[in-house]
Amino acid sequence: MTWDRERRLVMGYEERFWQLVEKRSIILFGDINADKQEGITLAITSLNGHSTGPIKFLLDSSGGTASHTLIIHDTLVHSLAPVNGLIMGKAHSGAFILSQAFKRRVAYPHATFIIHGPSLDGLRSDDKDLAGKIQFRKDIHTEMLNIIARRTGQPMKKLREWSREERVFTAREALKLNFIDEIAEPPK
């Protein structure tokens, strides 16, 4: 991909993001990172300042960093306006956690869901507090599993098992397990 084409795509995403925000819709496609966390939290905060009417959240993400995921999650949970989500493709990793913050969770029929633990990227084997940093990530993982357990009613033991397996769930399986509330039907 050429730099100009890639730049246009990125600029196009940002432009479309803010156009959708004006219509009380938020889009998260791709990785959960600092820029997207900043835009999403700013958009939700701004929308709450204008009205408490529902916000639509369109999601298709493989996840991203745990800290940015949890900041977005907290913003969604504390929104005065209800945030209803549509999982259009993937709700993997951190995106799975975000999906549990939606008031109403709807998925397209071919959406997929994955739970897994945070990666250990960025740790050095000679770090003086390596054990402490690993424990911190384990604690974050436990908190994320607790978020899922509270919303879905699934037992922690089962969630840990699925997380270790990095199990992929279909939309139908997600519905049966209370990960979502509904599978979207095509318009008539």
Side-chain angles (χ1 to χ4, degrees):
M1 183 178 302
T2 67
W3 169 249
D4 286 339
R5 177 168 158 62
E6 187 173 309
R7 196 166 139 248
R8 278 195 313 271
L9 288 173
V10 171
M11 289 174 65
Y13 181 90
E14 245 181 80
E15 282 178 37
R16 282 188 287 273
F17 178 88
W18 291 108
Q19 287 171 351
L20 284 168
V21 168
E22 289 175 8
K23 297 176 180 166
R24 300 193 66 76
S25 293
I26 293 173
I27 188 170
L28 173 56
F29 288 178
D31 292 339
I32 300 169
N33 57 35
D35 290 339
K36 289 184 181 163
Q37 175 252 301
E38 183 179 295
I40 290 166
T41 55
L42 177 63
I44 291 171
T45 303
S46 176
L47 290 171
N48 275 289
H50 289 101
S51 127
T52 56
I55 299 169
K56 185 175 188 177
F57 197 112
L58 309 171
L59 180 64
D60 183 8
S61 172
S62 295
T65 61
S67 58
H68 299 118
T69 295
L70 290 172
I71 291 168
I72 296 170
H73 176 273
D74 289 348
T75 304
L76 294 169
V77 168
H78 291 94
S79 173
L80 298 173
V83 181
N84 298 311
L86 174 62
I87 296 94
M88 300 176 74
K90 297 178 297 292
H92 297 179
S93 187
F96 188 101
I97 303 305
L98 295 183
S99 73
Q100 298 311 297
F102 300 145
K103 181 163 182 72
R104 184 98 181 123
R105 303 162 299 169
V106 179
Y108 280 159
H110 296 102
T112 57
F113 302 78
I114 295 177
I115 308 168
H116 71 88
S119 74
L120 298 177
D121 293 349
L123 293 182
R124 293 187 345 262
S125 61
D126 63 346
D127 191 313
K128 288 181 184 177
D129 189 29
L130 181 61
K133 289 180 179 172
I134 290 171
Q135 185 59 51
F136 177 74
R137 287 191 167 102
K138 286 181 177 181
D139 292 346
I140 285 176
H141 180 55
T142 298
E143 175 55 26
M144 290 178 156
L145 293 178
N146 277 322
I147 288 168
I148 298 168
R150 282 191 301 269
R151 179 66 195 266
T152 66
Q154 292 297 323
M156 284 293 284
K157 182 177 180 181
K158 199 67 181 165
L159 291 170
R160 285 189 189 286
E161 178 185 319
W162 290 330
S163 176
R164 277 191 299 279
E165 296 170 357
E166 291 192 43
R167 169 113 182 260
V168 178
F169 298 92
T170 65
R172 279 200 172 86
E173 292 170 319
L175 182 63
K176 287 178 186 171
L177 294 167
N178 197 30
F179 295 161
I180 59 173
D181 302 305
E182 176 185 345
I183 297 174
E185 295 289 329
K188 294 179 182 183

